[in-house]
Amino acid sequence: MSVALGTTRPLPVRTTPVGDPGDLLASLPRTAPYAWIRNGEGLVGWGEAARVAVPPGPGRFAWAREWLATVLGDAQVHDDVRTPGSGAVAFGSFTFDEDAHGSVLVVPRAVLARRDGQAWLTTVGDTPLETFTPVRDPGRISYGDGSLTAPEWQGVVARAARRIREGELEKVVLARDLVATTERPIDVRLLLSRLAARYPECYTFSVAGLVGATPELLIRRTGQEIESLVLAGTTARGTGAADDLARGAALFASAKDRHEHECAIASVRQTLSPLCSALTTPDEPELLVLPNVQHLASHVTGRLADGASVLDVVAAMHPTAAVGGTPTKTAIQVIRELEGMDRAGYAGPVGWIDANGDGEWGIALRSGQVQGRRARLFAGGGIMGDSDPAAELAEAQAKFRVMQYALEG
């Protein structure tokens, strides 16, 4: 059964303006840190005023919204800021596969936030002071195969590409995992600070042990306005400026990568159009250059027609073609048959929602599941009919480097 803590009586919630807190991540205690940070702005939280394990199944997002309505709707709120992200906020992580266990929502006891020149602190209930302990390095790190070895995974890619060429589907996204074991327990705060510093344009997140820095914004809802950043098509960074430019130009000209991107945009357009009174998608993608890779990227904007919450939009969008494939139902079945592992929260929605239904949710890419001295790292890529297994393995290895850097520094 799902368990909610602290919900036997209405939650007392108070939000007050504060001075600039500086580095938000530096304020986090070691216990149960929650985070959603981009370019130094966002929200961090700690403690648990309420927590629930969301039951798996096709209705899980609706179930989560009802739970939030009960917990946050009855809250006794004193909010002196009144902006998206103030008042009671829940952080959440949903598994990639709707049938998998592991989705969770948490209302922290304290949330410190900075956004658009404002900073505030929200407390829920009688929030005791947390003891701050110094951030500790994990020490020596060793890596081992996850669910499949590299050659085994290349074989999976080859089988998937063959099924695409045979006409079963257009695209499937395949992931693999890598296990890191450390000398000392992993301090999530260290990973967060390294990720936020190295990848400021990404969304650095932490929810219930799922930690990462994703470049992909699934959806942002601010009132009736929504935004999404679609990424599909990837190449590694070059060895120098000229090589970098050449790789970016080749990615932009690649028929395989452009088709993969067009599949992703068509999926988002088809999903969001019924929810929106207006929707804008670009005719051409842009090149998003990150420290380790380059992506084809498209910024989508729209206006909701019926006041749906951000979780309603997440429910409609997930899984996108960018992390599942095309057509989606067929791709999910192929993933279940071939991938050989449980993705857990990898490539699932991760983010936050407030009592008004505003929030930001990304796709949990470039991430790892951390517990004690063990971190299970994830990476993947879109497979097309002409995909080369060795090239796809190299792309996944490049994506692993994000979390390897977070661990190693």
Side-chain angles (χ1 to χ4, degrees), residues 230-316:
V230 179
L231 306 181
T234 305
T235 189
R237 293 294 303 272
T239 56
D243 186 32
D244 215 30
L245 287 172
R247 285 174 179 265
L251 175 64
F252 204 81
S254 165
K256 177 259 186 189
D257 289 289
R258 289 295 291 264
H259 180 59
E260 180 183 345
H261 194 83
E262 288 165 8
C263 288
I265 284 291
S267 171
V268 169
R269 187 185 298 114
Q270 182 179 11
T271 300
L272 288 181
S273 292
L275 299 175
C276 293
S277 59
L279 184 67
T280 302
T281 58
D283 295 328
E284 289 271 322
E286 300 175 355
L287 199 61
L288 176 64
V289 180
L290 299 173
N292 61 321
V293 293
Q294 303 181 62
H295 294 292
L296 294 179
S298 290
H299 189 233
V300 178
T301 59
R303 183 172 179 81
L304 292 173
D306 62 355
S309 85
V310 71
L311 271 187
D312 295 320
V313 185
V314 169

Side-chain angles (χ1 to χ4, degrees), residues 152-222:
E152 287 172 339
W153 193 74
Q154 285 182 276
V156 167
V157 171
R159 290 196 292 276
R162 183 171 61 249
R163 290 172 71 164
I164 292 169
R165 291 194 299 271
E166 291 171 351
E168 184 177 347
L169 70 168
E170 285 187 69
K171 168 192 170 183
V172 63
V173 180
L174 293 178
R176 65 183 302 250
D177 58 347
L178 181 70
V179 176
T181 304
T182 60
E183 180 184 4
R184 292 185 288 272
I186 300 168
D187 191 331
V188 167
R189 298 172 301 171
L190 179 64
L191 308 188
L192 292 172
S193 63
R194 286 173 173 171
L195 290 171
R198 188 172 179 87
Y199 304 98
E201 293 295 324
C202 293
Y203 297 86
T204 298
F205 60 86
S206 172
V207 179
L210 184 66
V211 182
T214 179
E216 190 146 357
L217 177 68
L218 180 63
I219 197 72
R220 174 188 295 121
R221 177 192 185 268
T222 307

